């Protein structure tokens, strides 16, 4: 596990820390508890893969993400948690510009991957997405065979020279996603005829088949049974050696198990970021605490 | 039904419509309804029977055939008045940018027939070998034969084949001496290897093509020539120019008569039929200075007009023997 | 992981090639659109180039003295007198005021041919309706004769044969100079039925005919098409009869339109004894012709409604019919409208089947109902385009523009609806 | 009252019945504790009442309108003096027409025989009586129907099922209309077709390689019946349709793809309807364009490269026809492409696929069934088109695969034979019907095969 | 909580209990461990809402459910657990005949709701589904407004006499599903523009708006954050007083928290059914145990 050096943490955070220590009356409207752009904890990393500064996202006139700054370290696993509708998916989709396909969505701020601007007009989106893979909240297999679903990415990127190489990639990816046993006999059948969990794992297999540097996972295990979940978590642990992984999850146990850092979102604000065990054991912000303590699972 | 229904020839249609419109304007009767169905189609509808669902009058760019007359009779359409209204010339024209041609029927036949007498002499028929006009006669220009004409389904084509082709064809004695049906099959067959282009029923299309392509000739009715003298000119045939006088006097060889037929049984039932006939056969319509001449009708000689008008107004029925 | 970086390398290296492909693909798309739009543009330019003069009319405005002696008319209310009267004389007289040089009878007749064929009827109608005007002087705007009109509109263009004598040409030039002959917007085109004189001909009859016919077509084809598509996609059991229906529909799409004319002739006119040349029959024939288009595209649209929506509705206890009426049809409506738009556009421009059921007729009176003899715009265009008079060729092009406008406005509503209903899910 | 007035009246009654039944069902429900205690929504009771009100009344109205004329005419004719009774149906219709023209004041009664004038007033009488009876009967039936439905507004009756079953039946009838149309087409060509085959043997028709019906212009004219071999017509049809599709499919498909995936929303929403105008331009316009602009251009071009070309060519007709059918492909494809869920696109884009890759490999296959539907429609339209071919490709039935030569198609022959100067009983005219029948059968067979293949493909895929 | 009387448990189960006690070698193919139609535990209830006997479901030639017999008691909450793809969703969808819409799906066996055959041809499916509501695995809101989504069911069933009643139903349902606060200001905006979790809660609100007798929930909380999950669980607890609830879940904690009984599915077999605490503390069947002990979540 990588150590995250909060070297860039600024006075702003210090101030917020204090703010968090002063108990805030419960009946005060939530918005006033969070100051825009102020994040408690350690939002910055020493060796950042992503450097995200003052990111705001709006759908038409609704602001879904409000002035968030965050670093994501190299080979780090970071979890995004927070109540439903707080903007986790939205923020995640900024990281590989999946928001481009939503007409009304506008992204502001500075987003850098390895020091290069993600949203620069010169940026090559295809290369970006090949490097930053994604697994979506709702499984979305293509209406093709299972094999073709997984082979799709490697094929378009020309990762395999031979059919046998492709077969190998497909098998490996399915294995890693824990779907090989179930799928090996029906590689040719249509993927949309699979169960929800199978589809989700297929989407994971599809994403890792192109070996991206970063994998964004939007609730990857929400449709999975414990065994499959375990396998995915193992996979995450495995990959964390060489990949950067961002995972949105509703399961705090899962966040605790897999991630180095955890970021807590609230109504479009990034309220607190810190080492995972810190967040779960001694959250600094009042909102985080109240979310954590109502913990379920 | 209180409106006169008229069907029939597309050639007569422009004339009949003018009459109908005047008739509608100048009388209290409703303007007759005119459908352009082609001569044969019109006669078919006309002969289907008496009764309001059948037309009262049909126009034709050829005379009714005996078979059609019999069909009429057997369907109960017994009394029919025949009215010959004038003549129409079929012209062979080309662009004004090209040189004016002077053709003979024989040359026309040689240029357009499917099979022609062997150019090397003898009474043999060979597939048409002529590619250029100059091969037929050295006095003709040296460009490829390319003639646009009406399709086999039109009355114009019908008349052209019967008058022009057969006329040229019969100048060969050995063909003339063949038995009748064999002779016709030789004379009436148009070549299908390219130089003759069937162009559908739209004569404006032919006119415009001619204007674009000076080497192409076109075959169509006189009225289209008259309306487009800015762009095209007609070839003389056997040395005769297609002028109204020449056509009306039948000096111009490729001329035909136009007709309409009235169902006598409908007179007095559908209001206005008699008055319509009267309008059509009035001097102000089909006379030498009548409005029909303005739109391209070639009038009959005056004495024939008088006779026809009298017969028509009296509704003298056909006997069938005149056909 | 070396695997990762080497793969990143591969990806990067492949990018150039893939972007070339991407650009090429995009270019193909643009070229395709360009070809399609370009063709449309050329066609439009062609039509407008030929037809814009159809929207211009040429008029001759004269101060006509309605002299009773000159006309041999004492009592305009007397029908016999009217039919014997000479209504041309006052017009020629009025023209002579401007062209005093025309003196002989022949010259006068030539002069009289400058105004349209129905100028005399105009005078007559005027007097018949207002007998008091006898022996007064009226300023009347006559339509010029077709030949004058062609001359005025196309003077100097060799493509148009000018059929005026030299003398008449001189006169016309003079009258134009004096402002007696003038051109203006051709309101006649939109206010009258067909006529054999181009300057008198209008397309109001054809427009009304098209409107009536299209109403019948739409009223039949749209509901029936959608109902059939819904039945086949949602209710039909998988059996031989359904297959049979399906094959039939696909087959009907390939049946040449003229065959539908035969059907109309044999069944509607022959069997049911409906009259010829009427909008109901035309509309029904065109409806049968458009049905397959609507059914096929509606089925495609219904197919693309995601099953999850159906499940959602069924899950709260909606009946099959409710699912269809409340969810499937609204969601499939854009596609259904596309089929309808294309089908109606096709029906609006169709000629062949109408020829067989007698809608290719010369009809002067504007139809007033579904059972009145009528013709439709494309048939009117077809008739004019095959007339010999050059005036009609212009009118045909003008009518094409009107037809296109008609089509555009008919579709605009549907397209607007479609745009409102469209969404990605 | 006129049928034209009765129709809206019945509809108004139906609306009233709807409203009354709606209120009644709510009233019935109120003491039970709300509409939830009804077996069906008030809407359904109301709709059922409207249906009961309208449908029987309309049927009676239609039947009355269908028979009224015949019956009245019978009575009028019977009232005439026996010696003037018509001998044939045609004569009867003449007399009736005369009578009704007199009755309508269009013929002067003084100029017609007295018995006709008498019959005219009888006719007027009968017609007004019939009108009154009809109005009363129809309104009565509408009210009775509504009243019956009214009595059936009860909480335990499931009106929804009634309404839905009726609707479903109506839907079924609509679908079955296709079959009726087919039957109608067969009915309208079968007799002439049989007569044609009495003259020309089937084998010659099917396997003959020359089509030259003009030699049979007249029975008395030529010994032979002319040549009626359809093979050149079918090859011509094939050639021209193939060229048209070669233009329309790529252009249409690529346009659709461009519009749905690349073009901005604004461009798309204008370009699509603009393209649709291509389908609505009258074919005469295309015909002139093809014949005057495209065909000469092609000939000049061909001659420049040393090829021989006819001034009317299959290529010219095919190209222009291709443009005409572009919207069939583009609009329908655009719709189905647009209907592919956004998540599919996201899935592919997130893997680093370019838009074109996403399109080609994911969206296109998913949209394929709909796209094929559009292409089939376009092909159908191509087969059925006449005007362009007549003007640009001519009428010469050459048996050739060379697109630079002039060819003709089945439908063109049908159209020219039917619209041109037809002889009522010649093989030439009859052949149009036989051609129609044959084309119908061929496309039917093709469709059967297509359905089989699609089924198979679908089974494999599932 | 209702007591479930295993009065109908037969000797068959006893035999299986013994079978379960005999350790089965791990490498033996799983199929041999489960005998078709044999279920360990207490599959039957004294006051059954559903009586399901020898139910088999196949997709084309694939059997997804193999001869399952089970009772679901009145006002009982029962959880279905099991690895992904084992047939939980398939079985659940039999209970309100949602499988009807899948062409290739064939259901055999006897399925009774309140003693009436569910699959009888005379059965009114609409009435059945109005009584047996369903929340799907993937949220599937209608592309309509939020209000219309919830109001749809009450409208077609005529549950409201007045607009105000309808408003009330909508508000109540959204409240119960824990969505009211977020949604009240945007009732007119399109439901498909909501976040995944919001959509899922909307679907729950939509299902309960028609107050069915039975609610089938297919992983209702998979996209939900802990707070929303808690609210749904509260809702389930609430409803269990008068409703019968069947819930498919991957979270054993959740199963443990909300359900009276738990059924464990495996490869289309119903392996074990028992009181929830029994299943989680002392599973009778080997397979159940191995699934439970690898617990996560
Ligand atoms: N529409 C379908 N067509 C064909 N096979 C299907 C279909 N739906 C499900 N199956 C198959 O039936 C089996 C059971 O699927 P089901 O969806 O019931 O699993 P599940 O237990 O709900 O899994 P999960 O927890 O992943 O949702 C699986 O093997 C699946 O592939
Ligand atoms: N396409 C869209 N159009 C408009 N608003 C949207 C769209 N997608 C999301 N939103 C809004 O943006 C806000 C954040 O949504 P987002 O999907 O990021 O939430 P989330 O944190 O992922 O929630 P969940 O855990 O439920 O998935 C929500 O209020 C949502 O309604
Ligand atoms: Mg989300
Ligand atoms: Mg499932
Ligand atoms: O219509 P026609 O004059 O060619 O018979």
């Amino acid at each position: 596990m990588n150590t995250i050096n909060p070297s860039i943490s600024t006075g702003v955070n210090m101030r917020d820390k204090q703010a968090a220590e002063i108990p805030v009356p419960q009946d005060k409207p939530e918005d006033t508890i969070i100051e825009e752009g102020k994040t408690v904890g350690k939002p910055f990393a020493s060796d950042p893969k992503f450097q995200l500064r003052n990111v705001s996202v709006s759908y038409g006139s609704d602001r879904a993400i409000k002035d968030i700054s965050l670093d994501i370290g190299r080979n780090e696993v970071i979890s995004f948690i927070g109540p439903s509708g707080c903007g986790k998916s939205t923020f995640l989709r900024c990281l590989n510009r999946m928001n481009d396909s939503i007409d009304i969505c506008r992204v502001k701020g500075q987003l850098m991957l390895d020091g290069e601007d993600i949203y620069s007009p010169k940026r090559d989106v295809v290369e970006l997405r090949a490097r930053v893979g994604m697994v979506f909240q709702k499984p979305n297999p293509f209406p093709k065979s299972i094999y073709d679903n997984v082979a799709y990415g490697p094929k378009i990127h020309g990762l395999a020279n031979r059919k046998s190489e492709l077969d190998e990639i497909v098998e490996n990816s399915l294995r890693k996603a824990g779907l090989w046993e179930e799928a090996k006999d029906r590689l040719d059948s249509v993927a949309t005829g699979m169960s929800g969990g199978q589809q989700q794992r297929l989407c994971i297999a599809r994403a890792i088949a192109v070996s991206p540097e970063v994998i964004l996972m939007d609730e990857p295990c929400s449709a999975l049974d414990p065994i499959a979940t375990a396998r995915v978590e193992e996979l995450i642990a495995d990959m964390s050696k060489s990949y950067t992984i961002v995972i949105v999850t509703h399961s705090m146990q899962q966040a605790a198990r897999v991630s180095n850092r955890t970021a807590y979102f609230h109504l479009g604000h990034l309220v607190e970021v810190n080492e995972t065990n810190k967040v779960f054991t001694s959250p600094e912000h009042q909102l985080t605490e109240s979310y954590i303590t109502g913990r379920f699972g | 039904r209180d409106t006169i229904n008229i069907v029939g020839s597309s050639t007569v249609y422009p004339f009949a419509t003018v009459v109908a419109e005047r008739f509608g304007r100048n009388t209290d009767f409703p303007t007759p309804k005119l459908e352009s169905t082609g001569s044969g189609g019109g006669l078919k509808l006309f002969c289907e029977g008496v009764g309001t669902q059948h037309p009262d009058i049909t126009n034709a760019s050829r005379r009714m055939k005996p078979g059609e007359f019999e069909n009429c009779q057997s369907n109960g359409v017994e009394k029919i008045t025949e009215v010959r209204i004038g003549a129409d010339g079929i012209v062979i024209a080309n662009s004004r940018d090209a040189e004016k041609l002077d053709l003979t029927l024989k040359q026309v036949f040689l240029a357009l027939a499917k099979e022609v007498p062997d150019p090397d002499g003898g009474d043999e028929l060979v597939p048409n070998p002529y590619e250029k006009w100059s091969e037929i006669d050295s006095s003709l220009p040296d460009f490829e034969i390319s003639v646009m004409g009406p399709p086999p389904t039109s009355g114009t084509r019908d008349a052209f084949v019967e008058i022009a082709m057969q006329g040229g064809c019969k100048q060969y004695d050995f063909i003339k001496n063949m038995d009748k049906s064999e002779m016709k099959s030789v004379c009436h067959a148009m070549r299908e290897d390219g130089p003759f282009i069937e162009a559908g029923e739209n004569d404006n299309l032919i006119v415009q093509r001619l204007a674009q392509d000076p080497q192409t000739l076109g075959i169509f009715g006189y009225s289209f020539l008259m309306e487009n003298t800015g762009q095209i000119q007609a070839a003389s045939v056997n040395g005769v120019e297609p002028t109204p006088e020449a056509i009306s006097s039948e000096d111009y060889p490729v001329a035909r008569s136009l007709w309409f037929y009235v169902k006598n049984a409908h007179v007095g039932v559908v209001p206005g039929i008699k008055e319509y006939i009267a309008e059509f056969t009035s001097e102000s319509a089909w006379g030498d200075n009548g409005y029909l001449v303005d739109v391209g009708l070639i009038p009959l000689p005056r004495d024939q007009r008088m006779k026809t008008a009298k017969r028509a107004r009296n509704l003298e029925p056909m006997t069938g023997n005149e056909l | 992981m070396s695997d990762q970086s080497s793969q990143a390398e591969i990806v990067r290296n492949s990018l150039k090639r893939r972007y070339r492909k991407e650009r090429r693909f995009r270019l193909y798309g643009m070229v395709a659109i360009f070809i399609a739009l370009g063709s449309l543009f050329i066609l439009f330019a062609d039509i407008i180039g030929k037809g814009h003069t159809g929207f211009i009319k040429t008029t001759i405005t004269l101060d006509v003295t309605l002299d009773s002696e000159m006309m041999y008319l004492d009592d305009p209310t007397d029908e016999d007198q009217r039919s014997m009267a000479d209504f041309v004389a006052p017009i020629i007289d009025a023209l002579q005021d401007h062209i005093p040089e025309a003196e002989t009878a022949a010259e006068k007749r030539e002069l009289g041919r400058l105004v349209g064929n129905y100028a005399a009827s105009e005078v007559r109608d005027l007097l018949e309706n207002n007998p008091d005007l006898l022996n007064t002087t009226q300023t009347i705007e006559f339509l010029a004769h077709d030949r004058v009109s062609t001359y005025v509109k196309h003077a100097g263009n060799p493509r148009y044969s000018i059929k005026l004598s030299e003398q008449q040409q001189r006169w016309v030039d003079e009258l134009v100079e004096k402002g007696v002959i003038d051109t203006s917007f051709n309101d006649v085109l939109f206010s009258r039925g067909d006529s054999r004189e181009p300057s008198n001909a209008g397309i109001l009859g054809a427009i009304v005919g098209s409107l009536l016919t299209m109403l019948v077509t739409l009223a039949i084809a749209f509901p029936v098409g959608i109902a059939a598509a819904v039945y086949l996609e949602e209710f039909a059991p998988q059996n031989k009869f359904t297959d049979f229906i399906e094959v039939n529909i696909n087959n009907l799409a390939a049946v040449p339109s003229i065959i539908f004319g035969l059907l109309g002739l044999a069944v509607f006119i022959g069997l049911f004894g409906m009259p010829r040349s009427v909008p109901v029959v035309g509309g029904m024939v065109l409806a049968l012709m458009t049905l397959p288009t609507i059914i096929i595209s509606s089925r495609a649209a219904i197919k693309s409604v995601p099953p999850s929506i159906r499940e959602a509705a069924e899950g709260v206890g909606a009946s099959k019919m409710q699912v269809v009426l409340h969810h499937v049809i609204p969601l499939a409506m854009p596609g259904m409208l596309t089929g309808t738009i294309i089908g109606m556009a096709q029906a609006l421009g169709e000629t062949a089947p109408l020829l067989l059921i007698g809608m290719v007729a010369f009809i002067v009176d504007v139809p007033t109902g579904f059972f009145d003899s009528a013709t439709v715009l494309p048939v009117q265009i077809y008739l004019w385009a095959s007339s010999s008079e050059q005036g009609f060729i212009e009118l045909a092009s003008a009518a094409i523009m009107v037809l296109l406008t008609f089509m555009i406005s008919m579709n605009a509503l549907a397209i607007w609806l479609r745009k409102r209903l469209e969404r990605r899910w | 009252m006129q049928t034209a007035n009765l129709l809206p009246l019945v509809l108004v009654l139906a609306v009233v019945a709807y409203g009354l039944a709606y209120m009644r069902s709510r009233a019935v429900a109120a003491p039970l504790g709300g509409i939830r205690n009804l077996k069906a929504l008030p809407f359904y009771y109301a709709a059922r009442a409207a249906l009961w009100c309208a449908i029987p009344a309309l049927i009676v109205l239609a039947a009355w309108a269908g028979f009224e004329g015949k019956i009245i005419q019978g009575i009028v004719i019977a009232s005439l003096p026996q010696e003037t009774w018509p001998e044939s149906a045609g004569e009867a219709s003449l007399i009736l027409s005369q009578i009704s023209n007199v009755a309508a004041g269009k013929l002067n009664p003084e100029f017609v025989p007295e018995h006709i004038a008498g019959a005219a007033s009888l006719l007027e009488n009968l017609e007004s009586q019939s009108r009154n009876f009809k109005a009363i009967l129809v309104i009565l039936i509408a009210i009775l129907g509504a009243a019956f439905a009214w009595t059936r507004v009860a909480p335990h009756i499931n009106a929804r099922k009634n309404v839905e079953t009726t609707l479903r039946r109506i839907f079924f009838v609509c679908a079955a209309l296709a079959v009726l149309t087919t039957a109608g087409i067969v009915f309208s060509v079968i007799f002439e077709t049989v007569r044609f085959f009495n003259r020309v043997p089937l084998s010659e028709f099917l396997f003959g390689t020359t089509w030259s019906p003009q030699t049979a212009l007249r029975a008395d004219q030529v010994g032979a019946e002319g040549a009626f071999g359809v093979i050149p017509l079918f090859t011509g049809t094939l050639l021209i349709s193939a060229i048209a599709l070669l233009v329309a499919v790529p252009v249409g498909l690529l346009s659709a793809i461009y519009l749905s995936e690349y073009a901005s929303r604004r461009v798309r929403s204008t370009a699509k309807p603009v393209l649709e105008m291509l389908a609505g331009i009258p074919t005469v316009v295309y015909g002139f364009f093809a014949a005057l602009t495209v065909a000469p251009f092609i000939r000049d071009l061909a001659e420049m490269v040393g090829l021989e070309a006819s001034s009317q060519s299959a290529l010219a007709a095919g190209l222009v026809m291709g443009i005409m059918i572009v919207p069939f492909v583009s609009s329908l494809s655009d719709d189905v492409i647009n209907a592919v869920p956004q998540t599919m696109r996201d899935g592919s884009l997130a893997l680093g696929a370019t838009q074109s890759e996403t399109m080609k490999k994911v969206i296109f296959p998913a949209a394929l069934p709909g796209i094929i539907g559009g292409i089939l429609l376009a092909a159908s339209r191509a087969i059925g088109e006449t005007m362009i071919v007549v003007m640009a490709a001519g009428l010469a039935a050459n048996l050739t695969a060379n697109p630079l030569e002039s060819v003709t198609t089945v439908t063109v022959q049908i159209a020219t034979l039917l619209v041109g100067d037809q002889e009522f009983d010649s093989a030439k005219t009859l052949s149009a019907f036989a051609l129609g029948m044959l084309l119908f059968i061929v496309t039917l067979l093709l469709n059967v095969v297509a359905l089989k293949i699609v089924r198979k493909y679908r089974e494999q895929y599932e």
Side-chain angles (χ1 to χ4, degrees), chain C residues 32 79 111 153 189 226 273 365 413-414:
Chain C
E79 195 180 330
L111 200 56
K153 284 192 261 184
L189 186 64
I226 287 178
D365 302 321
L413 181 75

Side-chain angles (χ1 to χ4, degrees), chain C residues 134-155:
Chain C
L134 195 66
N135 292 322
T136 61
T137 299
Q138 295 295 323
T139 306
I140 305 176
E141 190 186 80
F142 295 103
L143 288 170
H145 194 279
D146 181 38
R147 293 175 179 179
V148 176
S149 189
T150 309
Y151 175 73
V152 172
K153 284 192 261 184
H154 302 286

Side-chain angles (χ1 to χ4, degrees), chain C residues 244-257 259-260 263 287-293 295-296 346, chain D residues 174-186 376-377 380-381 384 439-440 443-444 447:
Chain C
F244 181 61
I245 294 181
E246 183 168 351
V247 166
N248 261 305
I249 288 171
N250 291 342
N251 189 40
L252 286 179
V255 169
S257 55
I259 300 276
F260 285 98
L263 166 77
L288 291 184
M289 189 191 82
T290 9
L291 262 181
T293 306
I295 295 177
I296 291 172
Q346 188 187 343
Chain D
C174 290
L177 194 65
V179 181
L180 287 184
T181 309
T182 301
I185 286 176
V186 172
L376 283 182
L377 263 187
S380 305
R381 180 84 203 267
L439 187 68
F440 192 78
T443 51
L444 193 68
N447 273 305

Side-chain angles (χ1 to χ4, degrees), chain B residues 8-12 36-40 59-62 153-157 201 256 258, chain D residues 420-421:
Chain B
S9 164
S10 52
T11 315
V12 183
S36 160
T37 61
S39 307
N59 302 317
S61 56
R62 56 170 169 80
T153 50
S154 91
T156 312
R157 163 75 166 267
E201 301 253 29
R256 59 173 164 171
L258 305 177
Chain D
D421 185 11

Side-chain angles (χ1 to χ4, degrees), chain B residues 252-263:
Chain B
Y252 182 73
V254 204
R256 59 173 164 171
S257 300
L258 305 177
W259 317 75
F260 71 84
Y261 294 88
V262 182
K263 210 177 272 180

